[in-house]
Amino acid sequence: MSNDNGAAYSSSAHGSTIGIQAQIVHDSTVYITHPDASPQEKYRVGVRLLQDGVPSRARKMITDAIARGYDGAEVRFHWVLAMLSARTHHDLGTEEVQALRHASGLVRTYAEDGWKEALRVTFDLLAVLSTAGGETGPVLKQLQDLPSYQHDAILRHLDLMLTGGLKDDLWAETLERAGAERFGNDRAQRVWAYFAPVPIGARALPPRPSTAAAARAALPARVALFVVSSALLWALALVAEPTRAVAELLVALAAGSAAARLGVRWWGREIRPGRPAGSGIPRPRDPAPAEGRFTDSVRQSFDYYFSIRAPYGFTSESWLAHTAEVRSSLAAEIADLYRESRVGVDRVNWLIRHLAEDTRNRHNNGTLFDRHQERTPDRTKALTVAALAVAAAATLAACGTALSGAAQPRPLWTFLAVLGAAWSGHAAASRWLEVRREEYRLARETLEYQEQLTARQAAYQRWKSRLDDLRPSEREMETWLTCDKTSFVDEALRHHRLTWRDLITHTILVAPGPSYKRGRVRGGPWRYSHYVFRLFLFTRDGIREVSSEFNFSDATRRNEQRSNYRFDALSSVQVTENVDIGYDLELVLTNGPARKIRIKDADAHQLAPDENSQEISEITLSATGSTHTFRLLEGIAADGRSWIERHGSENLTSLQVVG
């Protein structure tokens, strides 16, 4: 059963039209800083952003910390990595190169420690890259001697900077690390939790409001009339024959008292085939279209979870038939409890699954229909009828006793007393039983409500705790994605029989794939359950383009497509931004049709109140490599290969640390 919410669409590796699918925003504060946060706190968040694959925002945070006086070798090391992560020398502006040059001059002023050495090695690597035929042996030895964290961080964040022979020397090590980490930390069993919808809290059907107040208000007048009428009847009987009247009175009182006690057990408890789930909340006769869709989705979800949780001895079909009434009542209850705007069935599936399991368990222990079989014992019914009969007989006997006197007006008063006692007694008993019935019902439904809510809250906490325990961190998600890209690049190089020495530069574009779910933490980039990787390899002979769809859960890929074209064949590159749709990249080749590639979907309606749509968009574009790819493709479309040659790495020569 698919839980994706969204429109259907078609997709291919070269061009796609993508509809927004299930999307989750985790309410995390890992990237959130107070406006008055200390520079140390801003630096800490900046490092986390860098490690989690958000270098554009990391640059701003760490730069702000430095501007406010928090500086040192460690801070500058992470600042340099943030400046260069997911970028090449083509992406560096004049001011950024000057800032890097200034930072390289500061290295000698820092105290000698491991961070200063790591910073020095980073600048030495950049200097070697900008020197044709430069000697790489010494700097590679220095790189290998660094602690693993610094060594791995340099290789990861300078990935696009490292090219040519230097990249060849480091590629085997990069592949080995990617192979070791690609499926680490139980990836295949945990990725789904990142995209799982945030469950909505537990709810249960509350007790219906009591109607006892109205019945209780009408009770005193009827009781008073019954007392007066009964007293008149027995007074007339006592006047006529005292001894006989006393005996009849005692029998009537005893029988009436017994009938009252027994009647409460029978009529004082509402007789019905059980309280249908959802009956306490009236369902709208004409639901809005969105509500109708939600109700239909709830019923389908109940059918699904009941069918896969059938008890032993039942097939899915027979269990669905056996529980049709129960399932329908539960579906109506859940639809009424959670029918509100922007609440999808995915968020209540945990409860539907719990109710399906609870129904199966109650069937297994023989209590599935217990709550619908609250029958009064036959013995109680028989005793109640007998007590009423005795009370009625004693009353009729008293009536006869009263009429046995000789006074002329006595028959009239006797008739009025009997009529008043009968009417008021029945009315008072009805109101009294209604009060007791409502009190019993309210107590029973309150107990059921508390029991149901407690059980559902426990199920909610179990499910939420499981999601929290399994959900990968941002660093894990970024590590797995980086490893996938590394593996993809390696396969493309081997297919085309290329080495890094054969490449002028390269870029990889990561975009949402077909049938995706997407999620992010507050302040972080969107991550997808399905991606399309698109790799551009720029060689002296032209451009090699390789694209493939990736299932992020298990790192499988399909629908690979390859294209080869000259630099001058790329005639136009256009980037279109639409607030309501997202970003599209259109490539136009001289020898083929234009290809529109969806880079990201719109996300304004998925933002928290304190988030800026433009900032989140920039973060996502930067994290997917879009910013770098746009600049590179636009430059080549304008000037061809000469654009790459004009934007060489010579401006990095002066970054080598001296002394």
Side-chain angles (χ1 to χ4, degrees), residues 137-153:
V139 71
L140 288 179
K141 177 64 168 61
Q142 295 171 15
L143 178 63
Q144 296 296 337
D145 291 341
L146 292 177
S148 59
Y149 170 77
Q150 297 168 342
H151 169 272
D152 294 346

PDB file of all heavy atoms in Angstrom, residues 137-153:
ATOM      1  N   GLY A 137      54.148  14.579  -4.026  1.00  0.00           N
ATOM      2  CA  GLY A 137      54.564  13.611  -3.015  1.00  0.00           C
ATOM      3  C   GLY A 137      54.630  14.167  -1.606  1.00  0.00           C
ATOM      4  O   GLY A 137      54.020  13.600  -0.677  1.00  0.00           O
ATOM      5  N   PRO A 138      55.360  15.259  -1.373  1.00  0.00           N
ATOM      6  CA  PRO A 138      55.478  15.785  -0.002  1.00  0.00           C
ATOM      7  C   PRO A 138      54.137  16.154   0.619  1.00  0.00           C
ATOM      8  O   PRO A 138      53.877  15.847   1.784  1.00  0.00           O
ATOM      9  CB  PRO A 138      56.366  17.019  -0.187  1.00  0.00           C
ATOM     10  CG  PRO A 138      57.154  16.747  -1.429  1.00  0.00           C
ATOM     11  CD  PRO A 138      56.216  15.999  -2.323  1.00  0.00           C
ATOM     12  N   VAL A 139      53.275  16.830  -0.143  1.00  0.00           N
ATOM     13  CA  VAL A 139      52.018  17.260   0.446  1.00  0.00           C
ATOM     14  C   VAL A 139      51.092  16.067   0.701  1.00  0.00           C
ATOM     15  O   VAL A 139      50.326  16.050   1.675  1.00  0.00           O
ATOM     16  CB  VAL A 139      51.333  18.308  -0.448  1.00  0.00           C
ATOM     17  CG1 VAL A 139      50.793  17.688  -1.732  1.00  0.00           C
ATOM     18  CG2 VAL A 139      50.194  18.996   0.309  1.00  0.00           C
ATOM     19  N   LEU A 140      51.178  15.038  -0.156  1.00  0.00           N
ATOM     20  CA  LEU A 140      50.381  13.837   0.098  1.00  0.00           C
ATOM     21  C   LEU A 140      50.850  13.127   1.358  1.00  0.00           C
ATOM     22  O   LEU A 140      50.047  12.592   2.127  1.00  0.00           O
ATOM     23  CB  LEU A 140      50.443  12.886  -1.100  1.00  0.00           C
ATOM     24  CG  LEU A 140      49.672  13.316  -2.350  1.00  0.00           C
ATOM     25  CD1 LEU A 140      49.849  12.295  -3.467  1.00  0.00           C
ATOM     26  CD2 LEU A 140      48.184  13.470  -2.029  1.00  0.00           C
ATOM     27  N   LYS A 141      52.165  13.126   1.586  1.00  0.00           N
ATOM     28  CA  LYS A 141      52.703  12.524   2.807  1.00  0.00           C
ATOM     29  C   LYS A 141      52.197  13.291   4.029  1.00  0.00           C
ATOM     30  O   LYS A 141      51.804  12.688   5.043  1.00  0.00           O
ATOM     31  CB  LYS A 141      54.236  12.567   2.755  1.00  0.00           C
ATOM     32  CG  LYS A 141      54.917  12.040   4.019  1.00  0.00           C
ATOM     33  CD  LYS A 141      54.617  10.558   4.228  1.00  0.00           C
ATOM     34  CE  LYS A 141      55.512   9.957   5.317  1.00  0.00           C
ATOM     35  NZ  LYS A 141      55.316  10.605   6.618  1.00  0.00           N
ATOM     36  N   GLN A 142      52.184  14.615   3.942  1.00  0.00           N
ATOM     37  CA  GLN A 142      51.671  15.416   5.048  1.00  0.00           C
ATOM     38  C   GLN A 142      50.179  15.134   5.280  1.00  0.00           C
ATOM     39  O   GLN A 142      49.722  15.075   6.424  1.00  0.00           O
ATOM     40  CB  GLN A 142      51.874  16.899   4.753  1.00  0.00           C
ATOM     41  CG  GLN A 142      53.331  17.327   4.660  1.00  0.00           C
ATOM     42  CD  GLN A 142      53.464  18.753   4.162  1.00  0.00           C
ATOM     43  OE1 GLN A 142      52.506  19.514   4.145  1.00  0.00           O
ATOM     44  NE2 GLN A 142      54.667  19.108   3.720  1.00  0.00           N
ATOM     45  N   LEU A 143      49.443  14.960   4.182  1.00  0.00           N
ATOM     46  CA  LEU A 143      48.016  14.664   4.298  1.00  0.00           C
ATOM     47  C   LEU A 143      47.787  13.323   4.988  1.00  0.00           C
ATOM     48  O   LEU A 143      46.929  13.199   5.867  1.00  0.00           O
ATOM     49  CB  LEU A 143      47.368  14.673   2.913  1.00  0.00           C
ATOM     50  CG  LEU A 143      45.869  14.344   2.846  1.00  0.00           C
ATOM     51  CD1 LEU A 143      45.060  15.392   3.599  1.00  0.00           C
ATOM     52  CD2 LEU A 143      45.405  14.259   1.390  1.00  0.00           C
ATOM     53  N   GLN A 144      48.575  12.314   4.609  1.00  0.00           N
ATOM     54  CA  GLN A 144      48.424  10.995   5.211  1.00  0.00           C
ATOM     55  C   GLN A 144      48.774  11.002   6.693  1.00  0.00           C
ATOM     56  O   GLN A 144      48.238  10.197   7.468  1.00  0.00           O
ATOM     57  CB  GLN A 144      49.310   9.977   4.477  1.00  0.00           C
ATOM     58  CG  GLN A 144      48.937   9.731   3.025  1.00  0.00           C
ATOM     59  CD  GLN A 144      47.557   9.102   2.890  1.00  0.00           C
ATOM     60  OE1 GLN A 144      47.055   8.478   3.808  1.00  0.00           O
ATOM     61  NE2 GLN A 144      46.939   9.275   1.722  1.00  0.00           N
ATOM     62  N   ASP A 145      49.636  11.889   7.105  1.00  0.00           N
ATOM     63  CA  ASP A 145      50.072  11.933   8.504  1.00  0.00           C
ATOM     64  C   ASP A 145      49.065  12.625   9.412  1.00  0.00           C
ATOM     65  O   ASP A 145      49.221  12.593  10.640  1.00  0.00           O
ATOM     66  CB  ASP A 145      51.429  12.654   8.611  1.00  0.00           C
ATOM     67  CG  ASP A 145      52.565  11.833   7.997  1.00  0.00           C
ATOM     68  OD1 ASP A 145      52.384  10.608   7.834  1.00  0.00           O
ATOM     69  OD2 ASP A 145      53.603  12.434   7.662  1.00  0.00           O
ATOM     70  N   LEU A 146      48.053  13.274   8.839  1.00  0.00           N
ATOM     71  CA  LEU A 146      47.064  13.962   9.670  1.00  0.00           C
ATOM     72  C   LEU A 146      46.148  12.953  10.371  1.00  0.00           C
ATOM     73  O   LEU A 146      45.937  11.840   9.882  1.00  0.00           O
ATOM     74  CB  LEU A 146      46.204  14.895   8.813  1.00  0.00           C
ATOM     75  CG  LEU A 146      46.888  16.129   8.212  1.00  0.00           C
ATOM     76  CD1 LEU A 146      45.894  16.885   7.330  1.00  0.00           C
ATOM     77  CD2 LEU A 146      47.425  17.043   9.300  1.00  0.00           C
ATOM     78  N   PRO A 147      45.584  13.334  11.504  1.00  0.00           N
ATOM     79  CA  PRO A 147      44.572  12.479  12.152  1.00  0.00           C
ATOM     80  C   PRO A 147      43.412  12.214  11.202  1.00  0.00           C
ATOM     81  O   PRO A 147      43.130  13.000  10.287  1.00  0.00           O
ATOM     82  CB  PRO A 147      44.127  13.309  13.368  1.00  0.00           C
ATOM     83  CG  PRO A 147      45.286  14.209  13.651  1.00  0.00           C
ATOM     84  CD  PRO A 147      45.890  14.536  12.320  1.00  0.00           C
ATOM     85  N   SER A 148      42.719  11.108  11.437  1.00  0.00           N
ATOM     86  CA  SER A 148      41.698  10.653  10.493  1.00  0.00           C
ATOM     87  C   SER A 148      40.599  11.693  10.267  1.00  0.00           C
ATOM     88  O   SER A 148      40.141  11.874   9.137  1.00  0.00           O
ATOM     89  CB  SER A 148      41.072   9.343  10.978  1.00  0.00           C
ATOM     90  OG  SER A 148      40.475   9.518  12.256  1.00  0.00           O
ATOM     91  N   TYR A 149      40.147  12.392  11.315  1.00  0.00           N
ATOM     92  CA  TYR A 149      39.075  13.368  11.135  1.00  0.00           C
ATOM     93  C   TYR A 149      39.499  14.470  10.172  1.00  0.00           C
ATOM     94  O   TYR A 149      38.771  14.812   9.227  1.00  0.00           O
ATOM     95  CB  TYR A 149      38.668  13.993  12.473  1.00  0.00           C
ATOM     96  CG  TYR A 149      37.742  15.179  12.300  1.00  0.00           C
ATOM     97  CD1 TYR A 149      36.391  14.998  12.005  1.00  0.00           C
ATOM     98  CD2 TYR A 149      38.226  16.487  12.390  1.00  0.00           C
ATOM     99  CE1 TYR A 149      35.551  16.087  11.820  1.00  0.00           C
ATOM    100  CE2 TYR A 149      37.390  17.579  12.206  1.00  0.00           C
ATOM    101  CZ  TYR A 149      36.057  17.381  11.920  1.00  0.00           C
ATOM    102  OH  TYR A 149      35.228  18.449  11.720  1.00  0.00           O
ATOM    103  N   GLN A 150      40.679  15.033  10.388  1.00  0.00           N
ATOM    104  CA  GLN A 150      41.146  16.120   9.538  1.00  0.00           C
ATOM    105  C   GLN A 150      41.435  15.617   8.127  1.00  0.00           C
ATOM    106  O   GLN A 150      41.086  16.274   7.135  1.00  0.00           O
ATOM    107  CB  GLN A 150      42.395  16.747  10.154  1.00  0.00           C
ATOM    108  CG  GLN A 150      42.145  17.385  11.521  1.00  0.00           C
ATOM    109  CD  GLN A 150      43.428  17.743  12.237  1.00  0.00           C
ATOM    110  OE1 GLN A 150      44.506  17.239  11.897  1.00  0.00           O
ATOM    111  NE2 GLN A 150      43.330  18.609  13.238  1.00  0.00           N
ATOM    112  N   HIS A 151      42.062  14.440   8.034  1.00  0.00           N
ATOM    113  CA  HIS A 151      42.382  13.852   6.733  1.00  0.00           C
ATOM    114  C   HIS A 151      41.119  13.614   5.918  1.00  0.00           C
ATOM    115  O   HIS A 151      41.021  14.010   4.736  1.00  0.00           O
ATOM    116  CB  HIS A 151      43.144  12.543   6.968  1.00  0.00           C
ATOM    117  CG  HIS A 151      43.322  11.708   5.744  1.00  0.00           C
ATOM    118  ND1 HIS A 151      42.383  10.777   5.333  1.00  0.00           N
ATOM    119  CD2 HIS A 151      44.329  11.649   4.834  1.00  0.00           C
ATOM    120  CE1 HIS A 151      42.802  10.188   4.229  1.00  0.00           C
ATOM    121  NE2 HIS A 151      43.990  10.692   3.903  1.00  0.00           N
ATOM    122  N   ASP A 152      40.112  12.973   6.532  1.00  0.00           N
ATOM    123  CA  ASP A 152      38.873  12.657   5.820  1.00  0.00           C
ATOM    124  C   ASP A 152      38.093  13.922   5.471  1.00  0.00           C
ATOM    125  O   ASP A 152      37.476  14.005   4.401  1.00  0.00           O
ATOM    126  CB  ASP A 152      38.008  11.724   6.665  1.00  0.00           C
ATOM    127  CG  ASP A 152      38.649  10.358   6.866  1.00  0.00           C
ATOM    128  OD1 ASP A 152      39.618  10.046   6.142  1.00  0.00           O
ATOM    129  OD2 ASP A 152      38.186   9.616   7.757  1.00  0.00           O
ATOM    130  N   ALA A 153      38.108  14.913   6.371  1.00  0.00           N
ATOM    131  CA  ALA A 153      37.387  16.158   6.108  1.00  0.00           C
ATOM    132  C   ALA A 153      37.983  16.885   4.905  1.00  0.00           C
ATOM    133  O   ALA A 153      37.252  17.427   4.063  1.00  0.00           O
ATOM    134  CB  ALA A 153      37.408  17.049   7.344  1.00  0.00           C
TER     135      ALA A 153
END
